[in-house]
Amino acid sequence: MRGLVSLAWGRLATALLLVFVHLNLAAALSVPRYSELEARTRADLDANTVRRELGSRLSPGTLIFGPSDGKFPATTARWNTFAPPQIQVVVQPASEADVAKIGDQVQYCNANGIDFLATNGGHGNSASLGTFTGVQISMALLRTITIQPNKKSAWFQGGVYGGLVTKYLWERGFVTTTGSCDCVGLLGAALGGGHGRHEGLYGMVVDNLLQLNVVLGDGRAIRVSPTSNSDLLWGMKGAGHNFGIVTSFELNIFPRGPDTWHYHNYIWTGAQLERVFTSLNRLHNNGSTPVNMALNFGFFFMNTTVSTTDPILSWTFAYRGPANEAEALLAEFNAIPSVYNEQGDVPYSGVSKVQGNAEDDFICQKGNKRITTTAGLQVYNLTAERLIYNGFRARAISHPTLAAGAGILHEGYSTAGVGARNPADAAYPFRSDHHLMLFNGVVPPNDPVLEELAWEWANEVKDMWNAGQPTRTENNYVNYANGYEDLETVYGREPWRLARLRALKQKYDPQNKFRFYNPIVEPREGKGKGKGKGKGKGKRRWFQG
């Protein structure tokens, strides 16, 4: 759901990429362990120093500030504070003219041994972020959208986010593929895949990327398209966080379609769990969901107005079209006794608000320490879901504070447009997954005991989801990955996938500048060790050494 995350990484001098999210994989191709000379990181790095030395190379609109500036907390705020990057200075381009200067910023960092991290929405979830210390390049003010004369595509600057894009295009008669949360940067979602409400018709965001302007780790600006650096275009579509800073990109747009979408929200008690998931499996029919039944998602979570001991099932459905068509598909759900239900019709630009993932909704709230795990499913296993629910109920009794901060998310998309694409055409590897799952536990910032209990619970839920599909391998959507997963489970198990990604890495980022977001290659021995060791079940290569 989060289409969650938009950041870009860079080490020693060039991390600038915008992206939301969350990968790791081991492949056959051997890649050097990046034995470049040790960076001479500046000991005197502060905003005044960077402003004095770099400011003259940038346009007057660029802002450079540090922790003492009032803008710093909001600009560096993160959706998940479990393993936050350590930001010393923020550089914030403010106009189109500033975009051309990003290469200068990268070169300055390279010359001074400074790591760079490019950000937009701050939704990156990977533990590898906690290994970063240096300068943040904030893309958040670069939000220009230019619809092309053919009305079939638009150019977007790197700082746009889902809600902004949806509203801008809708008012002009268009839609495009975005993530499902309004607050998440569009490019962050895109570089990892980008699941959203239009994927049944048009595929994911990566399926609609036409070309990108990218700044590489050495400061060079290149165009990535079918006719220019075309090999990299494949890698940007699912693993793009690893290669460079995207300053702008061209994306397909489409006529907006029906004037209104229908939504229907339900709250059920746990007693109805088997009926709900049986109906969900019938609706989705293992990837055959009607294309206009765009997205449904639901949580297990506590609502003490219903029960202080039993989690509820809160579900929301969004249909691209009128109520009569939607309600015919929802007849089974209407027959399940509910504690609450509501329905209505809104423009597409208002769907996120009625589904609870608009910019000002709780799911978009920043500043919380979150313990997360994820899984990709084809169908729901009723036994697994009952065990997960019972485990939640047990925590509500034994550790009510832990239960109060937890939400167990189930996302179900119409995936016809995703499955229709050739899986070999993009780095994104998991086109046979129809459901995205996320355990999201909010814990107090200074409670290690509760944090350990949250990790135990998160991994238990993940294991149950995967045990419920014993004939399939473990899949972890990179934008939801917590950074502890094995690379093959994030970038795909076919050996050629990771081999191809590593070949691109060797060609376009041989110094491994962009390694702070689910990196596809290991950092050098002893480098990048960070907090959180021992929490996850995977190998977390950036903590080795």
Side-chain angles (χ1 to χ4, degrees), residues 523-538:
R524 291 168 298 156
E525 286 291 328
K527 298 301 171 186
K529 295 197 287 186
K531 64 167 74 175
K533 190 168 185 176
K535 303 301 183 188
K537 301 194 70 171

Side-chain angles (χ1 to χ4, degrees), residues 114-125:
I114 303 170
D115 286 342
F116 253 70
L117 180 66
T119 69
N120 182 8
H123 291 88
N125 195 48

Side-chain angles (χ1 to χ4, degrees), residues 75-86:
T75 307
T76 59
R78 303 202 60 81
W79 182 78
N80 188 354
T81 63
F82 167 67
Q86 301 304 304

Side-chain angles (χ1 to χ4, degrees), residues 366-387:
K366 292 184 177 181
N368 288 311
K369 188 174 189 177
R370 302 173 187 268
I371 306 303
T372 66
T373 53
T374 188
L377 307 181
Q378 283 189 331
V379 299
Y380 294 119
N381 184 296
L382 273 64
T383 301
E385 293 300 335
R386 172 53 70 182
L387 289 171

Side-chain angles (χ1 to χ4, degrees), residues 27-32 502 506:
L29 183 66
S30 175
V31 174
R502 285 175 167 168
Q506 189 172 22

Side-chain angles (χ1 to χ4, degrees), residues 21 36 134 250 262 265 304 331 444 498 541:
V21 204
E36 75 275 9
E250 186 181 16
H262 184 72
N265 300 336
T304 55
L498 201 57
R541 299 177 184 274

Side-chain angles (χ1 to χ4, degrees), residues 27-66:
L29 183 66
S30 175
V31 174
R33 211 171 191 45
Y34 302 109
S35 56
E36 75 275 9
L37 293 175
E38 184 67 26
R40 297 165 303 162
T41 304
R42 293 282 296 273
D44 62 339
L45 181 65
D46 60 28
N48 289 331
T49 300
V50 176
R51 189 181 301 115
R52 182 176 64 253
E53 297 177 349
L54 179 63
S56 62
R57 299 164 64 178
L58 305 177
S59 68
T62 295
L63 302 177
I64 301 174
F65 54 90

